[in-house]
Amino acid sequence: MKQKSRLYLATQNKHKVDEIKDLLGDLFDIHTVYELGLSEEIPETGNTLQENSKQKAEYIAERYQVTCLADDSGLEVNALGGQPGVYSARYAGESKDDMANMSKLIQALQGISDRSARFVTVLTLHHAGQFQSFEGEVIGDILTAPRGENGFGYDPIFQPKGFNRTFAEMSMDEKNQLAHRARAIQKFKSYVEQTGFFGNN
Ligand code: IMP
């Protein structure tokens, strides 16, 4: 049996690691940045998801000379002109507090009838000095109060279109059938299959 290629995830978010492992673990030998001895926070100072995703991938790949996949994601709310977007993690402050972020968003949408939003993920593969990005999105609505215990971030107030449950009321498997990160991963998988990318190394 062919040995699986080693892939490092350039993220320090345990929930993202779990979701990506669930989606890619059968194809790749997945490792985290903690196994590389990284203790500081991976910088993300860009103004777009694309910039941050590339920055995270470059930081890990160049520091440790490994093939890595970075994830930058955000929630774009239409009535707020796409906010919090790239600032989703720090929407209510530097502490990156999920409850505070959700409260601030619910407050910002009070009295507004358009509750539509989309989650977006930009994955960036960095391999042998080259970059390739993959984007995934899912549309839905922001609820007026949190529901459910699973997932992370804004999951308890995001209800994907066509469903009557939030992401936090779904199992990880269910969320991974339709969510933004899973869709970006599907594109990454297709790219790997079509190009034979890792087969050449
Ligand atoms: P970053 O990609 O680490 O900069 O942070 C993205 C932020 O967007 C997270 O801290 C969450 O608040 C939010 N986010 C991204 N993906 C998801 C998701 O799948 N569910 C819920 N919130 C998410």
Side-chain angles (χ1 to χ4, degrees):
M1 199 176 75
K2 189 173 175 292
Q3 225 189 346
K4 289 193 263 186
S5 299
R6 183 174 282 232
L7 185 65
Y8 283 87
L9 301 183
T11 178
Q12 286 152 311
N13 181 323
K14 184 190 172 304
H15 298 280
K16 289 183 181 177
V17 170
D18 288 345
E19 287 184 12
I20 296 171
K21 272 190 176 167
D22 183 57
L23 290 158
L24 281 182
D26 54 341
L27 287 180
F28 293 93
D29 179 21
I30 305 229
H31 294 264
T32 67
V33 288
Y34 299 108
E35 294 165 66
L36 297 168
L38 183 82
S39 51
E40 74 273 18
E41 219 178 308
I42 305 173
E44 45 177 321
T45 54
N47 293 316
T48 62
L49 298 177
Q50 181 72 47
E51 280 173 21
N52 277 348
S53 184
K54 193 172 171 204
Q55 183 183 24
K56 289 180 192 177
E58 196 162 29
Y59 187 82
I60 298 302
E62 291 185 353
R63 212 175 189 82
Y64 299 104
Q65 302 298 312
V66 293
T67 296
C68 72
L69 189 67
D71 170 313
D72 205 60
S73 310
L75 177 64
E76 297 179 354
V77 179
N78 290 325
L80 303 178
Q83 293 298 316
V86 70
Y87 307 109
S88 294
R90 295 177 169 80
Y91 186 47
E94 282 303 312
S95 59
K96 297 188 183 176
D97 180 333
D98 288 344
M99 285 307 291
N101 286 338
M102 285 192 287
S103 298
K104 183 172 174 182
L105 184 55
I106 289 168
Q107 193 68 32
L109 286 176
Q110 230 172 18
I112 298 177
S113 57
D114 178 6
R115 319 276 308 182
S116 64
R118 68 170 194 148
F119 267 125
V120 190
T121 289
V122 179
L123 296 174
T124 300
L125 172 69
H126 190 299
H127 177 75
Q130 291 184 331
F131 297 100
Q132 188 72 37
S133 289
F134 311 89
E135 190 174 315
E137 69 158 15
V138 59
I139 59 172
D141 289 303
I142 304 300
L143 304 188
T144 51
R147 278 197 340 234
E149 304 295 326
N150 302 331
F152 72 103
Y154 299 87
D155 279 346
I157 56 170
F158 184 85
Q159 185 166 278
K161 195 174 171 63
F163 291 80
N164 56 14
R165 284 173 302 144
T166 67
F167 272 161
E169 293 175 302
M170 297 182 180
S171 66
M172 187 167 68
D173 273 354
E174 283 178 283
K175 182 182 172 190
N176 273 347
Q177 301 287 320
L178 63 140
H180 47 309
R181 188 161 299 103
R183 288 180 174 162
I185 292 274
Q186 279 313 326
K187 290 185 185 170
F188 166 68
K189 275 184 168 177
S190 303
Y191 172 82
V192 169
E193 277 163 20
Q194 279 163 21
T195 57
F197 194 76
F198 287 92
N200 302 328
N201 296 282

